Amino acid sequence: MDTYDRIGVGYARGRRTDPRWQAVIEDALGGARSVLNIGAGTGSYEPAGRTVLAVEPSAEMLRQRPGDAAPAVRAVAERLPVRDGAAEAALAVLTVHHWNDWRRGLAELRRVAPVRVVLAYDTRMHADYWFVREYVPEIAERELGRPAAADIAEVLGAQRVVPLPVPWDFTDGVFPAYWRRPAAYLDPGVRRNCSALAQADPQAVRRGLGRLRADLADGRWRDRHRDLLGQAEFDAGFRLLISRN
């Protein structure tokens, strides 16, 4: 069973395209008229006005794609079912860290398209995110075992690395999306849509949430993170990697 067949129920409700990230991704794709969207999930960040083929291994995620989404095939990044140079660009948004063999998957991206646009993240920054550091430190080990943006950039041969900060009112429920809205982590629906939490030890998460709930109630979280409350955006380590032949 694919991971997201298990944890992806309701994913489309919590992981919605944020137009600010969408604009940067569209710009990175440039004039590419045909795009392979690898690890496409429910269709977030798929570009409009281009010919798109989505590739996704999870039946649950495919089931949640809207009726007007791009056509999709069920396959994995490591074995893309298309010919060499099948598209002008390949897109992979927050998916490489889930691949069984990420180096082989990146080689496939290079095979199928002359332009590669990959959204990844700095795993060390995620491991040091306040929620992990203060409430569920057990998450850090899994995060540090995933490929980091810098590693992916090197293997991909990225010529450009664009930081993507997370606005305070971000609409896409990625794990650090709620850096200024900590009470959101108490919502089971929010946690289900963050793979870092959905895959963490449930007992560790429950313990951490108990501490967070108490810190929110007595104001300790606010006292510790007063500096965050005045920020409009936060660098959680997300990086858009752009590689061209």
Side-chain angles (χ1 to χ4, degrees), residues 193-216:
N193 293 326
C194 302
S195 65
L197 286 169
Q199 295 178 283
D201 174 52
Q203 287 188 333
V205 174
R206 280 194 294 271
R207 285 195 300 269
L209 291 174
R211 291 193 294 271
L212 175 61
R213 190 175 287 109
D215 286 353
L216 290 173

Side-chain angles (χ1 to χ4, degrees), residues 13-199:
R13 291 193 297 271
R15 298 300 297 272
R16 302 184 304 278
T17 298
D18 188 284
R20 291 158 289 194
W21 276 19
Q22 179 76 39
V24 181
I25 290 170
E26 293 269 6
D27 181 68
L29 289 169
R33 294 162 298 179
S34 57
V35 179
L36 283 169
N37 186 15
I38 316 302
T42 62
S44 293
Y45 302 106
E46 280 183 357
R50 312 181 198 229
T51 300
V52 178
L53 175 65
V55 179
E56 168 57 45
S58 165
E60 175 60 31
M61 300 295 268
L62 290 172
R63 185 187 65 78
Q64 295 179 57
R65 292 175 64 82
D68 59 353
V73 296
R74 191 175 182 189
V76 296
E78 297 89 338
R79 294 186 301 278
L80 295 175
V82 297
R83 59 175 172 77
D84 295 0
E88 294 181 10
L91 176 65
V93 175
L94 295 178
T95 177
V96 176
H97 57 283
H98 290 302
W99 298 352
N100 290 326
D101 185 342
W102 62 273
R103 290 179 176 84
R104 181 175 176 182
L106 293 179
E108 280 286 86
L109 263 63
R110 296 179 67 97
R111 178 181 70 81
V112 300
V115 176
R116 284 79 55 175
V117 176
V118 175
L119 179 53
Y121 63 91
D122 184 328
T123 53
R124 291 169 300 178
M125 293 178 73
H126 274 219
D128 194 45
Y129 177 48
W130 63 256
F131 185 93
V132 178
R133 188 176 63 249
E134 298 170 16
Y135 298 105
V136 191
E138 293 84 353
I139 291 174
E141 182 178 359
R142 180 185 291 272
E143 289 299 304
L144 292 173
R146 289 172 161 174
D151 302 321
I152 295 169
E154 181 178 2
V155 173
L156 190 66
Q159 291 96 7
R160 289 179 59 206
V161 177
V162 180
L164 283 183
V166 181
W168 77 270
D169 57 349
F170 201 49
T171 61
D172 185 352
V174 294
F175 177 37
Y178 307 100
W179 58 270
R180 213 181 91 172
R181 296 172 286 168
Y185 290 113
L186 302 178
D187 182 342
V190 164
R191 298 196 301 275
R192 264 197 312 272
N193 293 326
C194 302
S195 65
L197 286 169
Q199 295 178 283

